[in-house]
Amino acid sequence: MVKLVEKAGIIELTVAVVDLTQEIGELFVKRVRAAQNFSNSSLIFLIQDYIFKHLNEPVNLTIMAEQLGYSKNYLCYSFKQATNQTIVNYANEQKIREIQSQLVFSNKTVTEIAAMLGFSDQSYLTKLFKKYLNTTPTHFRKKYHI
């Protein structure tokens, strides 16, 4: 009886890991396709690169514009035209992906992850996570943590 319960738990965990692996693969394919789509636009690449390098900070379009040498309005307009989304939305999506990774592959608390990614507090991270994934970070971790 105990072995059957253990097997059922292992099967459930295996299914969750397979689901997560598939989701990670799909995210990878999306990123590769996105990189191919943006390869013709060095400005879009610069914005994306800036976001990845500053993922641990709150998004500040004024500072980004100054560091990239463009006006804030030009950056926002160009990015929106090329990607059909705002810079802030794109940055939030990247942060959500990093949060997912941290929840699955680390033992950091949600508060630690929030601080690491430049969120002012855990509740804002949770609100953003729910907005994008319709679940809480805690529930996501329970489902996928390795």
Side-chain angles (χ1 to χ4, degrees), residues 100-113:
Q100 288 177 289
S101 178
Q102 291 296 320
L103 290 170
V104 172
F105 298 111
S106 82
N107 290 320
K108 292 178 181 156
T109 66
V110 176
T111 303
E112 290 171 328
I113 295 169

Side-chain angles (χ1 to χ4, degrees), residues 38 41-55 59-61 63-83 85-92 94:
F38 300 142
S41 175
S42 59
L43 177 58
I44 303 308
F45 174 78
L46 286 174
I47 294 168
Q48 291 175 318
D49 187 55
Y50 181 92
I51 289 167
F52 285 116
K53 287 179 180 174
H54 296 87
L55 205 57
V59 178
N60 186 321
L61 296 173
I63 293 173
M64 179 190 296
E66 288 172 4
Q67 291 187 0
L68 295 179
Y70 294 90
S71 76
K72 181 171 86 170
N73 289 341
Y74 182 72
L75 286 184
C76 292
Y77 175 79
S78 298
F79 196 84
K80 178 78 171 184
Q81 288 295 109
T83 66
Q85 69 182 127
T86 66
I87 293 173
V88 172
N89 188 50
Y90 178 80
N92 285 338
Q94 303 317 306

